[in-house]
Amino acid sequence: MRIPRVLLLVLAVAAGALAIPGTASAAYSDPLTTTTKQSLVWHATPAAALTALDNALPNVSLNTVVNDPSYPTTGCTAAEKAALPKAPAATTSFCWDTDRANSATWVPQGITTSGDADDDGMWGADKIILSGWHSGDALGRYDDARIMAVNYDKPAAPTNRMVYLAVPNSTGSSFTAAKAHMGGMAWYGDKIYVTAVGNTSTAIRVFSTKHILQMTDTTSNAIGKTSAGYAAYTYKYAMMQIGYYTYAGTCSMQSDTGVPCFSSMSLDRTTSPASIVTTEYFADQSLHGRLYRYPTGADYLLASSGTTAATEAFRSSVGNMQGVLSHNGKWYVSHSSATLNGQLWAQTTTASSSSSCGSPATTACWAVHPEALTYDWSTGLVWSQSEWSTTDCSAQGQTCGRSVFAVPLSSLPV
């Protein structure tokens, strides 16, 4: 979630104040408190529409996509390494090629891996990391969405291919761009959940690896049916939405008492059944985000084909929550600062704690401008990524950049 530039200094001061117990009405060290549960309603894409597009275009597997790379990843520059967490320290990381690393038109947000998707941590024969990006103002299509599908079979030399996210029309004769900020992602079975955009009724969009289509027109700067075939703004692949969840009303990013706007999410495999957890982001430090848990049911979707009720709902006093993770009853939330390293907090209804680093000691030890969290239970690693490009950082007099990194779950605050 990008912080408006005009708020940078104000938020830095406010976040620093709230992180110190006793200096404000709520402190990051306050435990979780229970709050009102929110329900979600499922809306399925017509099966006939998906079938029509599958018949009109080559339907390919995600394995085909990641083994058809268009870009390499790279080792991280000194500036990009400066964005990595101080404590707990990253044990592995990689960075994007120059165009992705410095792009002003696309911004990284959510992340998930094949460690979410399947019991063995693989998707078929491949280890895969999915990085979600939304388009910025410069593109002229704000909150279009794409996934960087990373082939992580060779951790020393990952590669990736970009996949556009699209919504079929009711008949399957065409499709449009899916609007999603991509602040959070969760991959469970063939289903890929992404957070939508704020201040709307749409909460979560759901895509499927069973409906990845290869475009027949890769030259048109358009999306959907064209005179030359089907296009997705020159991308080779597009993944189709198979349905979406709505809130019980329009969400608000200006209120922490009304309908929440989900800003991030992840999968928790430690519950039975597995569950999707979410959080919300507020730039206003007087507002306090909420955390929700939704159980999964048949076909890797949430527990009901109609209305799904949250089974848990909590309020956190951690500000600027960018990522959320739940594991064995403990919640982890990542905080972002305008000018400092972020913070990573472990929370329950009885305690809230963070790692410390430096001298004098500080809790500002997490990544610089961090985003979502995801846990690969097959490797024991928690993955995240940082948002700002080196250009963004330099413009604010900061040394940082975009990186994808992992830390062991065992190293997280207790």
Side-chain angles (χ1 to χ4, degrees):
M1 185 74 66
R2 184 169 293 273
I3 303 170
R5 295 291 190 266
V6 295
L7 294 178
L8 286 175
L9 182 57
V10 173
L11 292 183
V13 173
L18 282 180
I20 302 173
T23 62
S25 59
Y28 291 8
S29 56
D30 290 346
L32 299 174
T33 58
T34 57
T35 189
T36 305
K37 297 172 183 175
Q38 300 282 339
S39 295
L40 299 174
V41 180
W42 173 244
H43 308 266
T45 300
L50 292 168
T51 299
L53 286 168
D54 287 342
N55 290 337
L57 290 158
N59 185 313
V60 303
S61 70
L62 188 55
N63 303 91
T64 295
V65 172
V66 297
N67 285 291
D68 181 22
S70 51
Y71 300 102
T73 60
T74 68
C76 299
T77 65
E80 290 163 343
K81 288 179 181 178
L84 296 173
K86 296 179 179 179
T91 56
T92 188
S93 63
F94 63 84
C95 290
W96 306 104
D97 66 282
T98 300
D99 285 347
R100 260 51 46 194
N102 291 308
S103 174
T105 55
W106 289 94
V107 182
Q109 298 282 297
I111 190 168
T112 186
T113 77
S114 52
D116 273 345
D118 206 352
D119 289 345
D120 63 359
M122 305 286 286
W123 190 248
D126 297 306
K127 188 70 176 178
I128 299 174
I129 297 171
L130 301 181
S131 171
W133 295 50
H134 74 85
S135 59
D137 292 323
L139 190 63
R141 304 193 301 266
Y142 192 76
D143 277 341
D144 273 18
R146 74 181 186 191
I147 288 175
M148 310 292 285
V150 178
N151 185 327
Y152 203 64
D153 292 339
K154 298 177 180 178
T159 56
N160 67 89
R161 164 70 72 170
M162 300 184 294
V163 180
Y164 226 82
L165 298 187
V167 178
N169 65 11
S170 61
T171 62
S173 60
S174 189
F175 48 85
T176 56
K179 294 297 180 180
H181 198 73
M182 303 297 284
M185 300 175 67
W187 179 10
Y188 190 38
D190 68 294
K191 304 302 189 296
I192 297 174
Y193 296 75
V194 307
T195 52
V197 298
N199 298 320
T200 65
S201 61
T202 302
I204 299 171
R205 297 188 183 276
V206 185
F207 301 82
S208 173
T209 58
K210 294 179 180 179
H211 298 286
I212 302 174
L213 305 180
Q214 182 174 328
M215 300 296 100
T216 52
D217 177 359
T218 56
T219 60
S220 296
N221 190 32
I223 191 164
K225 188 73 172 70
T226 69
S227 59
Y230 290 84
Y233 295 117
T234 73
Y235 286 52
K236 186 174 182 179
Y237 301 107
M239 189 183 302
M240 298 295 121
Q241 177 178 282
I242 58 97
Y244 63 97
Y245 292 93
T246 56
Y247 306 107
T250 299
C251 75
S252 172
M253 296 185 72
Q254 288 74 46
S255 169
D256 61 0
T257 58
V259 177
C261 295
F262 298 157
S263 62
S264 195
M265 78 167 87
S266 64
L267 179 72
D268 185 353
R269 277 180 162 267
T270 66
T271 58
S272 183
S275 53
I276 298 290
V277 296
T278 70
T279 190
E280 59 182 336
Y281 169 93
F282 292 112
D284 183 346
Q285 293 289 298
S286 69
L287 302 177
H288 303 294
R290 292 160 289 180
L291 311 171
Y292 298 93
R293 182 185 303 279
Y294 296 92
T296 58
D299 200 23
Y300 305 106
L301 292 171
L302 298 186
S304 170
S305 58
T307 300
T308 299
T311 54
E312 288 186 305
F314 301 105
R315 186 180 299 281
S316 172
S317 292
V318 175
N320 290 6
M321 287 193 291
Q322 296 281 17
V324 59
L325 187 70
S326 177
H327 187 83
N328 284 336
K330 183 168 288 186
W331 294 75
Y332 300 91
V333 292
S334 62
H335 148 282
S336 66
S337 167
T339 58
L340 306 172
N341 280 69
Q343 301 174 36
L344 183 67
W345 287 82
Q347 299 196 294
T348 66
T349 55
T350 60
S352 179
S353 62
S354 179
S355 301
S356 63
C357 60
S359 180
T362 177
T363 55
C365 306
W366 192 233
V368 181
H369 306 300
E371 284 296 326
L373 301 167
T374 189
Y375 177 57
D376 182 346
W377 69 271
S378 68
T379 62
L381 293 176
V382 174
W383 286 88
S384 185
Q385 60 184 346
S386 51
E387 174 186 10
W388 282 22
S389 69
T390 303
T391 302
D392 288 331
C393 295
S394 296
Q396 297 299 321
Q398 300 172 23
T399 302
C400 54
R402 290 173 178 159
S403 60
V404 181
F405 59 88
V407 304
L409 179 73
S410 59
S411 69
L412 267 55
V414 296

